[in-house]
Amino acid sequence: GAVVSQHPSRVICKSGTSVKIECRSLDFQATTMFWYRQFPKQSLMLMATSNEGSKATYEQGVEKDKFLINHASLTLSTLTVTSAHPEDSSFYICSAPVRGAGVKEQFFGPGTRLTVL
Amino acid sequence: QKEVEQDPGPLSVPEGAIVSLNCTYSNSAFQYFMWYRQYSRKGPELLMYTYSSGNKEDGRFTAQVDKSSKYISLFIRDSQPSDSATYLCAMSAGGNKLVFGAGTILRVKS
């Protein structure tokens, strides 16, 4: 199947700093990417839909000024957690559907574990 | 009420057992039903995909969808220790937006 990578895989930062997470589709183009957050022993919660060349669409309750999303190209989306706080500590996962394919052709990255001290 | 309900477990079974994992949902617009497997600290990987009602079999895995009851199941035959993971059901009404269940932790003991 197609490959989606995330970088970094793990990051530890101090409270108040900003952290950038990259999501790349390595062998296919993705006009849309999705960002999820997963707390321990809980399911994936969709945070936002990243759209290449336009603004991201955020789910209800997700602060767009805190979680900045940029979809700079057909293979790269970035999520920046601004002024991170301990409650932002979580596992962040992106997914990318193959352009033009159905919902089953959606591939997930390996995730980024963010720990805010 | 959550759109998708899934018992988080953990479910512990001996090697070789038949495992039954289930999800219920409330949104009748869901048409696409997926089961993902997620190992610890990894991203989910697609196991089974079903469109609308019916059964689908792939090796040791069988997915069932009953839209009239809003109930889906995943059966794992001859379970192996390597099947130990979290199993997530996911659904879509169309497009690419997925709604996930909480995930069931499965432990297969050798």
Side-chain angles (χ1 to χ4, degrees):
Chain A
V3 178
V4 175
S5 71
Q6 279 184 244
H7 179 78
S9 59
R10 171 177 281 189
V11 58
I12 300 173
C13 69
K14 292 182 179 180
S15 185
T17 60
S18 294
V19 175
K20 180 186 283 189
I21 302 170
E22 293 185 349
C23 177
R24 292 182 186 272
S25 56
L26 297 185
D27 50 1
F28 66 100
Q29 294 182 333
T31 53
T32 302
M33 291 183 177
F34 298 93
W35 286 97
Y36 295 85
R37 181 167 52 185
Q38 185 177 33
F39 291 107
K41 298 184 180 180
Q42 294 186 32
S43 189
L44 283 74
M45 297 300 296
L46 180 64
M47 298 174 65
T49 303
S50 172
N51 304 298
E52 189 267 337
S54 64
K55 291 183 179 180
T57 305
Y58 291 81
E59 295 299 303
Q60 190 174 14
V62 178
E63 299 175 59
K64 62 180 181 180
D65 293 331
K66 181 168 184 63
F67 298 100
L68 301 179
I69 291 173
N70 182 273
H71 199 138
S73 74
L74 289 171
T75 59
L76 173 64
S77 174
T78 59
L79 168 67
T80 301
V81 183
T82 62
S83 187
H85 289 94
E87 58 266 30
D88 298 323
S89 298
S90 188
F91 194 51
Y92 292 87
I93 303 176
C94 69
S95 73
V98 175
R99 186 166 65 167
V103 64
K104 65 175 179 175
E105 297 292 331
Q106 183 170 163
F107 298 92
F108 286 80
T112 297
R113 182 159 303 282
L114 170 63
T115 303
V116 184
L117 302 176
Chain B
Q1 181 188 10
K2 294 180 181 178
E3 275 192 292
V4 180
E5 298 277 0
Q6 184 177 9
D7 186 339
L11 178 63
S12 186
V13 302
E15 183 176 356
I18 296 174
V19 176
S20 173
L21 304 166
N22 311 293
C23 288
T24 59
Y25 62 95
S26 58
N27 187 346
S28 57
F30 288 144
Q31 297 183 71
Y32 303 90
F33 304 90
M34 276 73 64
W35 285 95
Y36 287 84
R37 179 174 60 195
Q38 185 179 24
Y39 291 111
S40 181
R41 301 181 181 184
K42 301 291 184 183
E45 56 175 328
L46 181 66
L47 269 181
M48 298 288 288
Y49 163 83
T50 309
Y51 170 68
S52 194
S53 285
N55 294 356
K56 188 171 185 178
E57 188 173 321
D58 184 1
R60 296 184 296 113
F61 298 91
T62 300
Q64 288 185 351
V65 175
D66 183 347
K67 290 190 71 178
S68 63
S69 301
K70 295 189 178 67
Y71 186 89
I72 71 170
S73 301
L74 177 70
F75 297 96
I76 306 174
R77 291 183 298 281
D78 188 25
S79 56
Q80 303 295 310
S82 57
D83 295 328
S84 298
T86 298
Y87 290 80
L88 299 154
C89 64
M91 306 176 190
S92 172
N96 289 305
K97 184 173 178 179
L98 295 174
V99 180
F100 283 86
T104 299
I105 298 170
L106 172 66
R107 296 178 183 144
V108 181
K109 298 175 291 185
S110 58

